Amino acid sequence: MRTRTIVIGGVLAAAAGGAVFARTALADKGTEVRTEVVAKRDLTSTVTASGTIDPKRKVDISADISGRVIELPVEEGQWVNRGDLLLRIDPTQYQAAVRRAQAAVAQAQARASQARASLIQAQNAARRARQLAGSSEQLISTADVEQAETQAAVAQAEQEAARFGVAQAQAGLSEAQEALRKTTIVAPMSGRITRLNIEEGETAIVGTMNNPGSLLLTIADLSVMEARVKVDETEVPGITVGDSARVRIDAFPDRVFAGTVTRIANSSLQGATAAAASATGQQQSVDFEVVITLAEPPEQLRPDLSATADIVTDTRKGALTVPIIALTVRDAAGKKLGAGDAEEGDGAPASGAAARRLDEEGTEGVFVMHGDTVAFVPVQVGIAGERYFEVRSGLRGGETVVAGTYQAIRELESGAKVRIPEAGKGKAGGGS
């Protein structure tokens, strides 16, 4: 038994030693990498953003008065024409208000007639008093003349007040009639009822901007549909009105809809998440709404469907390209920068603080194969496609560059030894 244990231990030790030797041998051959040939490709630069589908034109219907709904002849999904009856609110109290206002107008008019008669009477009395005073001072005193003229002036003012009273009563009548008219709500446009939040017998409340419960129904024109997507502030400057887009809708997974950018918001979207982030002291992301009008929306489209849009911001025909993963950051000698800089710069375009560090400390470039070693070559890149960067300067085409793995590119330095497995030999691939 002791002899068997010794033999097994010797076998395991030999196996372990063989594994260590194999790893050492592979390390001596260099870091294992994948390569790709720098070649020309057609590139399409896109901005991807998510949002929802909405009709270009829709109207939210709310009540301007409160009351019980006594008639609701429409249903959700129904098509209505402009002027069609949507609902009617119980008009009883508003009809009574109109009658009270009419009575108030009649009363004010009667008072105005009485005031006019009093004015005529007072004016005649003042005229007779002046005539008597002019013919003989013995017939009427100066005080009586002044009193008659004063009464005429008072009657004039009372007649003017009565006239304003009539105007006030008539305004009250118009207000009551308008409230009565608002008990009947008709369609302001032709379209389909996409939302119905009220039932016959329920009470409609006065609609306000901050009370979603006051929304009764929504009418939308579904013939023109839009995708409203949120685009990050860093990507908005590259988008212009008229850019083409491909829109994918979750409810139609097998279809891609063509569209055109028709509007770019001038101010950012502010929501609950931004308020929450501000309250906690976190830096909030800033998004802008971009509207994409769909070219041929199907009849099955509905508002509020989730959508993702790929907005084409630029294209290049036959551009010299390198894989996105190949781009990294090194110093002037091709050596790694500090750990934080290298991690943020490798395999992706730099932005924000990383971009500032690029200007101050590092250079973007790729590792070009020279036999079994690599050399760091600075490059200037242009637009980014799905998998490749456009190369504006630094390469001529035909070079073999290191295109993986991510960890290998992250650790390489100029002059490092590398090896290429047979399955990873570089080929000039296609695509963008």
Side-chain angles (χ1 to χ4, degrees), residues 277-365:
S278 178
T280 58
Q282 299 176 351
Q283 183 178 3
Q284 66 184 53
S285 60
V286 179
D287 296 324
F288 288 77
E289 184 180 69
V290 174
V291 178
I292 301 167
T293 301
L294 302 184
E296 297 179 357
E299 295 182 359
Q300 298 86 351
L301 276 190
R302 294 293 182 267
D304 302 325
L305 292 177
S306 299
T308 302
D310 294 324
I311 304 171
V312 179
T313 58
D314 209 344
T315 58
R316 294 287 191 275
K317 296 293 184 181
L320 197 64
T321 61
V322 293
I324 289 177
I325 193 175
L327 193 69
T328 186
V329 180
R330 293 295 186 269
D331 63 15
K335 303 299 182 182
K336 291 190 296 182
L337 303 175
D341 296 335
E343 289 178 7
E344 193 165 359
D346 286 339
S351 60
R356 289 192 293 273
R357 286 196 297 272
L358 280 180
D359 294 336
E360 298 170 359
E361 303 176 10
T363 303
E364 285 184 313

Side-chain angles (χ1 to χ4, degrees), residues 48-67:
T48 301
S50 59
T52 58
I53 298 297
D54 282 307
K56 182 177 182 180
R57 186 182 178 209
K58 68 176 182 178
V59 178
D60 293 329
I61 306 296
S62 297
D64 294 325
I65 59 172
S66 298

Side-chain angles (χ1 to χ4, degrees), residues 55-139:
K56 182 177 182 180
R57 186 182 178 209
K58 68 176 182 178
V59 178
D60 293 329
I61 306 296
S62 297
D64 294 325
I65 59 172
S66 298
R68 182 172 57 86
V69 177
I70 61 173
E71 187 175 355
L72 185 66
V74 296
E75 297 179 352
E76 187 167 330
Q78 177 180 335
W79 177 271
V80 293
N81 294 314
R82 180 184 177 92
D84 286 352
L85 175 66
L86 299 178
L87 61 89
R88 182 173 283 112
I89 296 173
D90 186 0
T92 304
Q93 63 174 324
Y94 301 101
Q95 290 171 341
V98 169
R99 290 194 293 270
R100 285 196 301 271
Q102 289 172 337
V105 169
Q107 185 179 25
Q109 289 174 339
R111 288 175 179 170
S113 298
Q114 183 179 5
R116 281 195 300 272
S118 298
L119 174 62
I120 294 172
Q121 183 180 13
Q123 288 175 339
N124 291 336
R127 184 171 57 255
R128 286 194 297 270
R130 286 192 297 271
Q131 289 174 350
L132 289 174
S135 59
S136 174
E137 295 182 358
Q138 304 294 327
L139 298 177

Side-chain angles (χ1 to χ4, degrees), residues 193-257:
I193 297 177
T194 57
R195 181 180 288 109
L196 185 61
N197 296 334
I198 194 74
E199 294 291 341
E200 186 173 327
E202 294 181 345
T203 299
I205 61 177
V206 176
T208 56
M209 293 296 293
N210 57 356
N211 187 1
S214 63
L215 176 62
L216 302 180
L217 55 90
T218 300
I219 301 176
D221 179 6
L222 301 182
S223 63
V224 181
M225 302 295 284
E226 299 175 333
R228 299 174 179 267
V229 298
K230 298 178 181 179
V231 178
D232 187 82
E233 59 179 329
T234 59
E235 297 177 315
V236 167
I239 302 175
T240 58
V241 173
D243 284 347
S244 61
R246 300 184 298 273
V247 180
R248 298 182 300 277
I249 303 174
D250 293 351
F252 300 84
D254 300 327
R255 297 183 62 178
V256 177
F257 300 89

